[in-house]
Amino acid sequence: MGTPQRLGANCGRIIARSDTTPDKRVSATFSVTIRPSELSDKDTVERLAHTVAMLHPTAEVGAVKLPCGVAVLVTEDREVPEGVTLLATPRPASTVRQCHAIVPIPDRTAIADFSICTEDTEQWDDYVTLLATITFT
């Protein structure tokens, strides 16, 4: 993890077999972004939740207790219009669901944004379970 003046990010792709339809592959993208934050007092989570709710009025925003501490939880569905893939094949319109767990990093003026997004919303509960296990070591 870098100093609070730096921005760090890492992401990975999760590909699995669907529990409900075993012959179907499902995928999600998991990412972690570290951002500097001027918020370092006890009201950090409440202030973040209020700001995020104002910036994303269609999202569900709240606070949740995770193993790593209290986090701002943001969940939102976004419509993606039809388009073309890199292989020039048509791609139909779809809905992407994303969830962010924004956590103040203990003893630092930085926040960590753990996020997961997927078009495979029927597996959503399994994906969100990953966010529920976040810890700092």
Side-chain angles (χ1 to χ4, degrees):
M1 178 171 53
T3 63
Q5 292 76 31
R6 293 186 183 163
L7 174 70
N10 196 357
C11 70
R13 190 94 172 141
I14 300 165
I15 300 174
R17 186 165 302 194
S18 169
D19 288 336
T20 56
T21 313
D23 59 335
K24 178 182 178 190
R25 282 184 282 174
V26 294
S27 68
T29 300
F30 179 77
S31 65
V32 180
T33 305
I34 307 298
R35 295 185 173 99
S37 172
E38 295 177 2
L39 304 174
S40 61
D41 63 8
K42 64 183 175 88
D43 298 323
T44 298
V45 170
E46 293 82 7
R47 290 167 61 191
L48 278 170
H50 178 72
T51 301
V52 170
M54 287 179 21
L55 293 172
H56 300 276
T58 62
E60 293 179 39
V61 180
V64 65
K65 177 80 170 131
L66 298 175
C68 61
V70 179
V72 175
L73 197 64
V74 183
T75 305
E76 187 173 26
D77 286 354
R78 295 262 176 122
E79 299 301 319
V80 178
E82 63 182 65
V84 178
T85 68
L86 292 174
L87 300 174
T89 56
R91 181 188 46 77
S94 64
T95 299
V96 173
R97 182 168 295 156
Q98 57 186 336
C99 184
H100 296 262
I102 305 169
V103 184
I105 297 175
D107 302 324
R108 303 208 187 251
T109 53
I111 56 173
D113 179 352
F114 299 90
S115 66
I116 196 157
C117 68
T118 185
E119 291 178 288
D120 297 311
T121 57
E122 65 275 359
Q123 307 297 132
W124 185 245
D125 290 344
D126 295 331
Y127 296 134
V128 173
T129 300
L130 293 173
L131 290 180
T133 61
I134 297 168
T135 59
F136 290 116
T137 56

